[in-house]
Amino acid sequence: MTSSSTAFLTDHYELTMLASALRDGTADRPCVFELFARRLPTGRRYGVVAGTGRFLDSLAGFRFGEEELAKLEASDVVDRATLDWLADYRFSGDIVGYPEGELYFPGSPVMTVSASFGEGVLLETLALSILNHDSAVASVAARMSSAANGRRLIEMGSRRTHEEAAVASARCAYLAGFTSTSNLEAGRRYGIPTAGTCAHAFTLLHDSEEDAFRAQIDALGVQTTLLVDTYDISRGIETAIRVAGPKLGAIRIDSGDLGVLARQAREQLDALGARETKIVVSGDLDEYAIAALRAEPVDAYGVGTSLVTGSGAPTAGMVYKLVEVDGRPVAKRSSHKESRGGRKAALRRYKATGTALEEVVYRADGPGPERHDHDRELQIPLVRAGQVVPGLPTLDDGRQRLRQALVSVPWEGLALSGGEPVIPTVFA
Amino acid sequence: MTSSSTAFLTDHYELTMLASALRDGTADRPCVFELFARRLPTGRRYGVVAGTGRFLDSLAGFRFGEEELAKLEASDVVDRATLDWLADYRFSGDIVGYPEGELYFPGSPVMTVSASFGEGVLLETLALSILNHDSAVASVAARMSSAANGRRLIEMGSRRTHEEAAVASARCAYLAGFTSTSNLEAGRRYGIPTAGTCAHAFTLLHDSEEDAFRAQIDALGVQTTLLVDTYDISRGIETAIRVAGPKLGAIRIDSGDLGVLARQAREQLDALGARETKIVVSGDLDEYAIAALRAEPVDAYGVGTSLVTGSGAPTAGMVYKLVEVDGRPVAKRSSHKESRGGRKAALRRYKATGTALEEVVYRADGPGPERHDHDRELQIPLVRAGQVVPGLPTLDDGRQRLRQALVSVPWEGLALSGGEPVIPTVFA
């Protein structure tokens, strides 16, 4: 179904712009493109960078092979000279950017591509697709992690999003602190722990709930998670412990007033001697529902729809703008969109206590702002002369980075209520 | 990056349920699974079925090859007996369902899978991923098509969604009446016409707007679309016509008050003799903005973010439920979710004038409701004994089907304002 080339995961106009620029000789002009968000989704206090790793993977496959060239020729998208140029295309420029798991704010230069116009413009759509999707999911996943306050989070949203977006979403959830995913491909592709409980269908398949529980225990052992709400929850729990014994790993409740039910379930389990049996809850949980269950005896949350759809913010709204041509800053002159030309870098300024103070975005070709003791530069080299820099941070590094970054956020930034970005962006 | 097998695009628990069912002999029980939506997204008057074609394509690749089996074994997801069963797995059941482009309503049996439990349960996640994503996008695309009222719609949302979801979204948009897409892969994979205009970067690359326009005209001819709002729109239009002459294909305006600007642009173009030059508008358009521009001299809309994110309803919320085991109906007994056991079929009842009256969902194993003159059965055979039925409707057939279906909707159903499903679902 999918070609091994990622080069067609782009917009038609990237290629026609290239064709036009090749024709008048401007395609070779050295350019700088900047990927950033003008603003955060309404009410959000921070964003989380995600997708950089996937983008760098896909860059390797961004090649126009015979199949792609034949299709472009047949559909008359570009001329012969452009086809020849594309046949030889290998990205040879430089890319720097925020590592995955880093926070971003309005105007943060999340990724900066330095290359000829032709080489750089071709990457626009693919870079934005990946960063916009992944950062949207990671940003809400981080809010959920904060809300869960150390309790386990299981990503189970695959069925509510495109089948490949599901794999990427699982990756973003893990980056942002989720414990595991239900998605097997994410397990294979990214080494994320996979987990599963059971569906109502399995109980309904059997002549009785007891038969179903017995079958599951026989196959998977008592450490499994039994779904107890197909018929009557308290009878379900009673049956579960009768079949599995008090060493049952967990029960899952997928419907009803989860707070009340979790409390009742805990009491019942304790009374049955199953004090170590965990309680997993699921069912349209978002970050607010997760937080609302903090006071209840819930051990793990299964989260689906609201995670993979960004809980109201399904895309990060990042843009990819040409900011420099031949060393001179350029910017669209527009009435309502703030645009700043020139290649930029960024640092985050902290208090001595480690709390973030502000995001300082500055022109990369100048001396930049006066440095303070607790400044931290935010961009790292990702690609040099077309080669991915060796030893880049791994997914687990990103997970660690985000955990630390969230500790540094002023406390009001971790509140789920809407507000302004928790630190201001200062353009120096 | 992606394996040719689609078998891992599923949830861990589908496999552990299979393992448990194989162990106690219930995996072979003949079952019926039903894919349906309990409700439409809030305020929506109808849904559009999409993704069936993609699901049937992916079914062919749903195989556990050596790579998949090795990974399952290494990560200890299932036992040896299950691995052996999976190695031989070929779906051998029957599937019927609503064809793509058909409308659906709460409870419509959009897809019905008849197979052993083991064979049917494995398809749950993949079927839902595809149908939920694609139907969400097609449903909003249909609203946009209605709002555009015959004007051209160009899909250009790739950069705002996962790179593979972008390809599927372009397909859904085309199904729902969009004229073309910017996504090259959608052009290649599904034969959808691709189109492109130009980005601000191309103008900024050049020493002047005039240089940029000249380069584009030289490369692409005067039938191209020039983006005129990088600096000053009226000067941009003046330059565009000076460079291209009055035969210029189109101009695009991507920012500002599009209604006012389109009117001014039309007057200016007409005054310059460019009466045939079209006006394309873009920039965060949703179905409401499209409708609001109906009175303005707009020839085509470029639509991105709101399309690929479902304009507030990013997933269709369909579920895949076991409704029959060994010929007897089964259903979860739950307090707040309506579940109806038994294999169902559906017909749509029309007035003699061709206006839809109601969706009649009935038990497929009974005589069904009394038939009226203008009833139309809604499910068609999709897979028989594991083989995709030959001659299924094409994407263009679906496009035609939806166009006709929207004509049959009671007029209030095409209003964009929120409300109940435009026809009731009657369970006979």
Side-chain angles (χ1 to χ4, degrees):
Chain A
M1 277 255 308
T2 52
S3 161
S4 61
S5 166
T6 56
F8 263 36
L9 298 172
T10 192
D11 286 324
H12 184 113
Y13 83 174
E14 313 292 5
L15 296 187
T16 51
M17 282 192 282
L18 170 69
S20 304
L22 281 172
R23 198 176 168 100
D24 81 341
T26 51
D28 292 331
R29 291 192 173 179
C31 286
V32 178
F33 294 87
E34 189 178 289
L35 190 152
F36 65 99
R38 294 186 202 280
R39 66 194 77 82
L40 299 179
T42 306
R44 293 288 177 84
R45 319 300 299 264
Y46 61 85
V48 175
V49 175
T52 316
R54 292 211 307 118
F55 172 68
L56 295 177
D57 287 348
S58 71
L59 189 60
F62 202 90
R63 299 270 188 278
F64 293 83
E66 277 178 32
E67 201 192 323
E68 285 75 31
L69 295 169
K71 172 66 184 167
L72 288 175
E73 185 165 19
S75 50
D76 207 20
V77 174
V78 293
D79 60 5
R80 184 78 255 162
T82 307
L83 292 173
D84 292 342
W85 190 95
L86 291 172
D88 294 332
Y89 176 71
R90 301 285 181 276
F91 180 75
S92 68
D94 295 333
I95 305 180
V96 299
Y98 283 34
E100 289 191 283
E102 187 55 88
L103 304 183
Y104 73 88
F105 297 94
S108 297
V110 168
M111 193 181 279
T112 308
V113 175
S114 303
S116 71
F117 179 79
E119 291 195 16
V121 78
L122 286 185
L123 301 181
E124 175 179 26
T125 310
L126 184 59
L128 286 174
S129 288
I130 295 177
L131 273 284
N132 271 327
H133 175 269
D134 288 12
S135 299
V137 176
S139 295
V140 72
R143 284 163 63 83
M144 291 169 173
S145 287
S146 290
N149 205 19
R151 290 172 176 178
R152 281 193 299 135
L153 285 164
I154 309 163
E155 189 281 309
M156 40 173 78
S158 295
R159 62 191 57 195
R160 299 278 187 250
T161 186
H162 182 281
E163 68 276 18
E164 277 291 333
V167 184
S169 294
R171 183 180 183 277
C172 297
Y174 184 73
L175 175 74
F178 275 53
T179 320
S180 57
T181 176
S182 65
N183 189 285
L184 285 179
E185 184 64 25
R188 166 160 71 176
R189 211 179 287 173
Y190 304 117
I192 301 168
T194 65
T197 61
C198 202
H200 297 113
F202 187 76
T203 299
L204 295 174
L205 167 71
H206 286 82
D207 299 331
S208 71
E209 195 174 44
E210 179 166 341
D211 283 2
F213 289 174
R214 204 172 298 281
Q216 189 178 336
I217 297 287
D218 280 354
L220 307 174
V222 295
Q223 273 308 302
T224 193
T225 300
L226 294 176
L227 178 63
V228 295
D229 70 342
T230 305
Y231 304 112
D232 176 274
I233 295 180
S234 57
R235 256 187 249 171
I237 292 174
E238 187 270 318
T239 307
I241 300 302
R242 180 157 39 80
V243 172
K247 300 288 182 207
L248 176 64
I251 60 160
R252 176 161 76 106
I253 306 173
D254 185 49
S255 52
D257 182 330
L258 296 173
V260 172
L261 294 174
R263 242 176 296 146
Q264 291 174 353
R266 185 72 270 157
E267 283 176 23
Q268 189 182 355
L269 287 168
D270 289 350
L272 292 167
R275 297 188 161 274
E276 303 301 316
T277 300
K278 307 291 189 206
I279 298 176
V280 183
V281 297
S282 59
D284 289 334
L285 294 174
D286 60 15
E287 63 268 46
Y288 305 100
I290 291 168
L293 289 166
R294 263 195 206 179
E296 310 301 341
V298 166
D299 299 288
Y301 302 92
V303 187
T305 309
S306 64
L307 175 84
V308 298
T309 62
S311 196
T315 184
M318 291 174 181
V319 294
Y320 183 93
K321 293 294 170 192
L322 180 64
V323 293
E324 203 172 288
V325 178
D326 271 338
R328 87 195 136 78
V330 296
K332 177 171 182 293
R333 204 184 306 148
S334 166
S335 46
H336 70 300
K337 291 177 187 169
E338 233 177 330
S339 293
R340 287 180 186 79
R343 185 189 142 112
K344 292 168 222 78
L347 57 81
R348 193 164 298 146
R349 187 151 287 165
Y350 295 85
K351 291 195 222 180
T353 58
T355 301
L357 270 176
E358 57 190 17
E359 188 91 340
V360 183
V361 178
Y362 59 93
R363 285 286 296 277
D365 53 4
E370 198 185 326
R371 296 306 197 276
H372 294 206
D373 279 351
H374 305 284
D375 288 353
R376 188 165 62 82
E377 297 289 337
L378 293 165
Q379 292 184 322
I380 63 169
L382 299 169
V383 174
R384 277 202 196 98
Q387 300 299 312
V388 173
V389 172
L392 285 181
T394 63
L395 182 59
D396 276 307
D397 293 336
R399 188 173 156 95
Q400 181 63 19
R401 183 184 305 273
L402 177 55
R403 197 182 301 143
Q404 289 168 352
L406 288 176
V407 170
S408 75
V409 163
W411 66 268
E412 68 269 28
L414 298 182
L416 297 178
S417 50
E420 296 299 306
V422 68
I423 59 171
T425 305
V426 177
F427 294 90
Chain B
M1 279 256 306
T2 52
S3 159
S4 61
S5 167
T6 56
F8 263 36
L9 298 172
T10 192
D11 286 324
H12 185 112
Y13 83 175
E14 313 292 5
L15 295 187
T16 51
M17 283 193 281
L18 170 68
S20 304
L22 280 172
R23 200 176 166 98
D24 82 339
T26 51
D28 291 332
R29 291 191 173 180
C31 287
V32 179
F33 294 87
E34 190 178 288
L35 190 151
F36 65 98
R38 294 185 201 279
R39 66 194 76 83
L40 299 179
T42 307
R44 293 289 176 85
R45 319 300 300 262
Y46 61 84
V48 174
V49 175
T52 317
R54 291 212 305 119
F55 172 68
L56 296 177
D57 287 348
S58 71
L59 189 59
F62 202 89
R63 300 268 189 279
F64 293 83
E66 277 177 33
E67 201 191 321
E68 286 74 29
L69 295 169
K71 172 66 184 164
L72 289 175
E73 187 166 17
S75 51
D76 207 20
V77 173
V78 294
D79 59 5
R80 183 78 257 162
T82 307
L83 292 173
D84 291 342
W85 190 94
L86 290 172
D88 294 332
Y89 176 70
R90 303 283 182 276
F91 180 74
S92 68
D94 295 333
I95 305 180
V96 300
Y98 283 36
E100 289 190 284
E102 188 55 87
L103 305 183
Y104 72 88
F105 297 94
S108 297
V110 168
M111 193 181 277
T112 307
V113 175
S114 303
S116 71
F117 179 78
E119 291 196 16
V121 79
L122 287 184
L123 302 181
E124 175 178 26
T125 310
L126 184 59
L128 286 174
S129 288
I130 295 176
L131 272 286
N132 271 327
H133 175 270
D134 288 13
S135 299
V137 176
S139 295
V140 73
R143 284 162 62 82
M144 291 169 171
S145 286
S146 291
N149 204 19
R151 290 172 176 176
R152 280 192 300 136
L153 285 165
I154 309 163
E155 189 281 309
M156 39 174 79
S158 296
R159 63 191 57 195
R160 298 278 186 251
T161 187
H162 182 281
E163 68 276 18
E164 277 291 334
V167 185
S169 294
R171 182 179 184 278
C172 297
Y174 184 73
L175 175 74
F178 275 54
T179 319
S180 57
T181 177
S182 66
N183 189 286
L184 284 180
E185 185 63 25
R188 166 161 72 176
R189 210 179 287 173
Y190 303 117
I192 300 168
T194 64
T197 62
C198 201
H200 297 113
F202 188 76
T203 299
L204 295 174
L205 167 71
H206 286 82
D207 299 332
S208 70
E209 194 174 44
E210 179 165 343
D211 283 1
F213 289 174
R214 205 173 296 283
Q216 189 179 335
I217 297 286
D218 280 354
L220 308 174
V222 295
Q223 272 308 302
T224 194
T225 300
L226 294 176
L227 178 63
V228 295
D229 69 343
T230 304
Y231 304 111
D232 175 274
I233 295 181
S234 58
R235 258 188 246 170
I237 291 174
E238 188 270 317
T239 306
I241 300 302
R242 180 155 40 78
V243 172
K247 299 286 182 209
L248 175 65
I251 60 160
R252 176 160 77 105
I253 307 172
D254 186 49
S255 52
D257 181 330
L258 295 174
V260 172
L261 295 174
R263 242 175 297 146
Q264 290 174 351
R266 184 74 270 158
E267 282 175 22
Q268 190 182 357
L269 286 169
D270 289 350
L272 292 167
R275 298 189 160 273
E276 302 300 316
T277 300
K278 307 291 189 207
I279 298 175
V280 183
V281 297
S282 58
D284 288 334
L285 294 174
D286 60 14
E287 64 267 47
Y288 306 100
I290 291 168
L293 289 166
R294 262 195 204 177
E296 309 302 341
V298 167
D299 297 289
Y301 303 91
V303 187
T305 309
S306 64
L307 175 84
V308 298
T309 61
S311 195
T315 184
M318 292 175 181
V319 294
Y320 183 92
K321 292 295 170 192
L322 180 64
V323 294
E324 203 172 287
V325 178
D326 270 338
R328 86 196 137 78
V330 297
K332 177 171 181 293
R333 206 184 305 147
S334 166
S335 48
H336 69 299
K337 290 177 185 169
E338 233 177 329
S339 292
R340 287 180 186 78
R343 184 190 143 112
K344 291 167 222 81
L347 57 81
R348 193 163 298 146
R349 187 152 286 165
Y350 295 86
K351 290 195 221 179
T353 58
T355 303
L357 270 176
E358 57 190 17
E359 188 91 340
V360 184
V361 178
Y362 60 94
R363 285 286 296 279
D365 53 4
E370 198 184 328
R371 297 307 197 276
H372 294 205
D373 279 352
H374 305 284
D375 289 353
R376 188 164 63 81
E377 295 291 336
L378 293 165
Q379 292 185 322
I380 63 170
L382 299 171
V383 174
R384 277 201 197 99
Q387 301 299 311
V388 173
V389 172
L392 285 180
T394 64
L395 183 58
D396 275 309
D397 293 336
R399 188 174 156 94
Q400 181 64 20
R401 181 183 307 272
L402 177 57
R403 196 182 301 142
Q404 289 168 351
L406 288 175
V407 171
S408 76
V409 162
W411 66 268
E412 68 269 27
L414 299 182
L416 296 178
S417 51
E420 295 300 306
V422 68
I423 60 170
T425 304
V426 178
F427 293 90

